[in-house]
Amino acid sequence: MSKVPSGLRVRFWCSHEINSEIRDFGRCLLGLGDFDLQAHATALLLRLVPNKYQESFALTEFGIQQKNVASNFSSIAGSDFEMGIRSWLNDVNRLQLINPRVVSLPCTLIKLDDVKLKCPKIPNCDLSEFWLDFNLGSQRITAYCIPPVVDSATQISGTSTQSLSTWEILTIYPELIEVLDIKGKSVLGQSNTHASTSIFFAPIICHYQAKFC
């Protein structure tokens, strides 16, 4: 769709039948209980809906009440496209206080055995944290990461160099989890809660620290 001329996309949008299908698809976005599906659906909608209609589309079809969040949908573009989708979906999913479908938390470390996985490199972004997505619809935990490479000569993971642009999805299913350890600390008189959580499942360890307001 990114290669389709903008004029042709506007013609698609003005077609009553296609417009109706796009709106029906948009209404399903927040019901998708998997971040990866949400991200791909968002990317497709950004290409199907002309920019000047995107803010109103977000308000009506996504059911978003906050105008600034709807406005941010229309500003996702360019070299910040991937990070823009991540930030926007994080904001939108946080608004789903009743029956949330996806809960995303920042993750400081993911290890496969003794090998630390690397964060995907995002253009114009110096963040070095993962996002751990708890997908309640697909019943899996996912994280985007750079997988370890096994050196063909030594057969040792992590000894070869790999392009930081190669993303893969680490998937954790509930039956693989052996221990879920959550520790929280709140300060009397303050609304902030700090949480430090570790998930242990052979042979992977995830550790994240989050601050909730």
Short mmCIF file of all heavy atoms in Angstrom, two decimals, residues 54-55 58-59 64-76 87-88 91-92 95:
data_model
loop_
_atom_site.label_atom_id
_atom_site.label_comp_id
_atom_site.label_asym_id
_atom_site.label_seq_id
_atom_site.Cartn_x
_atom_site.Cartn_y
_atom_site.Cartn_z
N GLN A 54 -7.42 11.01 9.17
CA GLN A 54 -6.96 10.05 10.18
C GLN A 54 -7.38 10.42 11.61
O GLN A 54 -7.75 9.55 12.39
CB GLN A 54 -5.44 9.89 10.09
CG GLN A 54 -5.00 9.11 8.87
CD GLN A 54 -3.49 9.05 8.71
OE1 GLN A 54 -2.74 9.59 9.53
NE2 GLN A 54 -3.03 8.42 7.64
N GLU A 55 -7.31 11.70 11.96
CA GLU A 55 -7.69 12.09 13.32
C GLU A 55 -9.16 11.82 13.59
O GLU A 55 -9.52 11.24 14.63
CB GLU A 55 -7.38 13.56 13.56
CG GLU A 55 -7.70 14.01 14.98
CD GLU A 55 -7.29 15.46 15.25
OE1 GLU A 55 -6.40 15.97 14.54
OE2 GLU A 55 -7.86 16.06 16.17
N ALA A 58 -9.77 8.10 13.95
CA ALA A 58 -9.38 7.57 15.26
C ALA A 58 -10.44 7.89 16.31
O ALA A 58 -10.73 7.07 17.19
CB ALA A 58 -8.03 8.14 15.67
N LEU A 59 -11.02 9.07 16.23
CA LEU A 59 -12.04 9.47 17.21
C LEU A 59 -13.30 8.64 17.07
O LEU A 59 -13.89 8.20 18.07
CB LEU A 59 -12.37 10.95 17.05
CG LEU A 59 -11.33 11.96 17.55
CD1 LEU A 59 -11.67 13.35 17.07
CD2 LEU A 59 -11.24 11.92 19.08
N ILE A 64 -11.81 6.54 20.65
CA ILE A 64 -10.89 7.27 21.53
C ILE A 64 -11.50 8.62 21.89
O ILE A 64 -11.89 9.39 21.01
CB ILE A 64 -9.53 7.48 20.84
CG1 ILE A 64 -8.89 6.12 20.54
CG2 ILE A 64 -8.60 8.33 21.69
CD1 ILE A 64 -7.62 6.21 19.72
N GLN A 65 -11.59 8.91 23.18
CA GLN A 65 -12.19 10.15 23.63
C GLN A 65 -11.17 11.29 23.70
O GLN A 65 -11.53 12.46 23.57
CB GLN A 65 -12.83 9.95 25.01
CG GLN A 65 -13.88 8.86 25.04
CD GLN A 65 -15.04 9.14 24.09
OE1 GLN A 65 -15.51 10.26 23.99
NE2 GLN A 65 -15.48 8.10 23.38
N GLN A 66 -9.91 10.95 23.94
CA GLN A 66 -8.87 11.97 24.06
C GLN A 66 -8.43 12.45 22.68
O GLN A 66 -7.87 11.69 21.90
CB GLN A 66 -7.65 11.42 24.83
CG GLN A 66 -7.88 11.25 26.32
CD GLN A 66 -8.65 9.97 26.64
OE1 GLN A 66 -9.10 9.27 25.74
NE2 GLN A 66 -8.79 9.67 27.91
N LYS A 67 -8.66 13.73 22.42
CA LYS A 67 -8.36 14.29 21.11
C LYS A 67 -6.86 14.25 20.81
O LYS A 67 -6.45 14.04 19.67
CB LYS A 67 -8.87 15.73 21.02
CG LYS A 67 -8.75 16.35 19.63
CD LYS A 67 -9.39 17.71 19.59
CE LYS A 67 -9.20 18.37 18.22
NZ LYS A 67 -9.84 17.60 17.15
N ASN A 68 -6.03 14.43 21.86
CA ASN A 68 -4.58 14.43 21.62
C ASN A 68 -4.09 13.05 21.19
O ASN A 68 -3.18 12.93 20.36
CB ASN A 68 -3.83 14.90 22.87
CG ASN A 68 -4.02 13.96 24.05
OD1 ASN A 68 -5.14 13.52 24.32
ND2 ASN A 68 -2.95 13.66 24.77
N VAL A 69 -4.69 11.98 21.73
CA VAL A 69 -4.31 10.63 21.33
C VAL A 69 -4.73 10.36 19.89
O VAL A 69 -4.00 9.77 19.10
CB VAL A 69 -4.92 9.58 22.28
CG1 VAL A 69 -4.59 8.16 21.82
CG2 VAL A 69 -4.42 9.79 23.71
N ALA A 70 -5.93 10.83 19.54
CA ALA A 70 -6.40 10.68 18.16
C ALA A 70 -5.51 11.47 17.21
O ALA A 70 -5.19 11.01 16.10
CB ALA A 70 -7.85 11.15 18.05
N SER A 71 -5.09 12.65 17.64
CA SER A 71 -4.22 13.48 16.81
C SER A 71 -2.86 12.81 16.60
O SER A 71 -2.27 12.90 15.51
CB SER A 71 -4.03 14.85 17.46
OG SER A 71 -3.16 15.66 16.72
N ASN A 72 -2.37 12.12 17.62
CA ASN A 72 -1.08 11.44 17.51
C ASN A 72 -1.12 10.33 16.46
O ASN A 72 -0.09 10.00 15.86
CB ASN A 72 -0.66 10.85 18.86
CG ASN A 72 -0.27 11.93 19.86
OD1 ASN A 72 0.05 13.05 19.47
ND2 ASN A 72 -0.30 11.60 21.13
N PHE A 73 -2.29 9.75 16.25
CA PHE A 73 -2.43 8.71 15.22
C PHE A 73 -2.07 9.26 13.85
O PHE A 73 -1.38 8.61 13.06
CB PHE A 73 -3.87 8.17 15.22
CG PHE A 73 -4.15 7.16 14.14
CD1 PHE A 73 -3.59 5.89 14.18
CD2 PHE A 73 -4.98 7.48 13.07
CE1 PHE A 73 -3.85 4.96 13.18
CE2 PHE A 73 -5.25 6.55 12.07
CZ PHE A 73 -4.68 5.29 12.13
N SER A 74 -2.51 10.48 13.58
CA SER A 74 -2.27 11.08 12.26
C SER A 74 -0.84 11.59 12.10
O SER A 74 -0.43 11.94 11.00
CB SER A 74 -3.25 12.23 12.01
OG SER A 74 -3.04 13.27 12.94
N SER A 75 -0.08 11.64 13.20
CA SER A 75 1.29 12.16 13.13
C SER A 75 2.34 11.06 13.00
O SER A 75 3.53 11.34 12.93
CB SER A 75 1.60 13.01 14.37
OG SER A 75 1.59 12.22 15.54
N ILE A 76 1.90 9.79 12.96
CA ILE A 76 2.84 8.68 12.81
C ILE A 76 3.30 8.62 11.36
O ILE A 76 2.50 8.40 10.45
CB ILE A 76 2.17 7.34 13.19
CG1 ILE A 76 1.68 7.36 14.63
CG2 ILE A 76 3.15 6.18 12.98
CD1 ILE A 76 0.85 6.15 15.02
N SER A 87 4.54 3.83 20.54
CA SER A 87 4.11 4.83 21.53
C SER A 87 2.60 5.03 21.50
O SER A 87 1.95 5.12 22.55
CB SER A 87 4.82 6.17 21.26
OG SER A 87 6.21 6.04 21.40
N TRP A 88 2.04 5.08 20.28
CA TRP A 88 0.61 5.32 20.15
C TRP A 88 -0.20 4.14 20.69
O TRP A 88 -1.17 4.33 21.44
CB TRP A 88 0.24 5.58 18.69
CG TRP A 88 -1.19 5.95 18.51
CD1 TRP A 88 -1.78 7.15 18.79
CD2 TRP A 88 -2.24 5.07 18.06
NE1 TRP A 88 -3.13 7.08 18.53
CE2 TRP A 88 -3.43 5.83 18.08
CE3 TRP A 88 -2.27 3.75 17.63
CZ2 TRP A 88 -4.65 5.29 17.69
CZ3 TRP A 88 -3.49 3.22 17.24
CH2 TRP A 88 -4.66 3.98 17.27
N ASP A 91 -0.22 4.07 24.45
CA ASP A 91 -1.17 5.04 25.00
C ASP A 91 -2.60 4.54 24.87
O ASP A 91 -3.39 4.64 25.82
CB ASP A 91 -1.03 6.38 24.27
CG ASP A 91 0.26 7.11 24.61
OD1 ASP A 91 0.88 6.77 25.65
OD2 ASP A 91 0.66 8.00 23.83
N VAL A 92 -2.93 4.00 23.71
CA VAL A 92 -4.30 3.54 23.46
C VAL A 92 -4.65 2.35 24.36
O VAL A 92 -5.73 2.30 24.96
CB VAL A 92 -4.49 3.16 21.98
CG1 VAL A 92 -5.83 2.47 21.77
CG2 VAL A 92 -4.41 4.40 21.11
N LEU A 95 -5.56 3.12 27.90
CA LEU A 95 -6.89 3.70 28.09
C LEU A 95 -7.95 2.63 28.31
O LEU A 95 -9.06 2.95 28.77
CB LEU A 95 -7.28 4.56 26.88
CG LEU A 95 -6.41 5.80 26.61
CD1 LEU A 95 -6.85 6.48 25.32
CD2 LEU A 95 -6.48 6.77 27.78
#
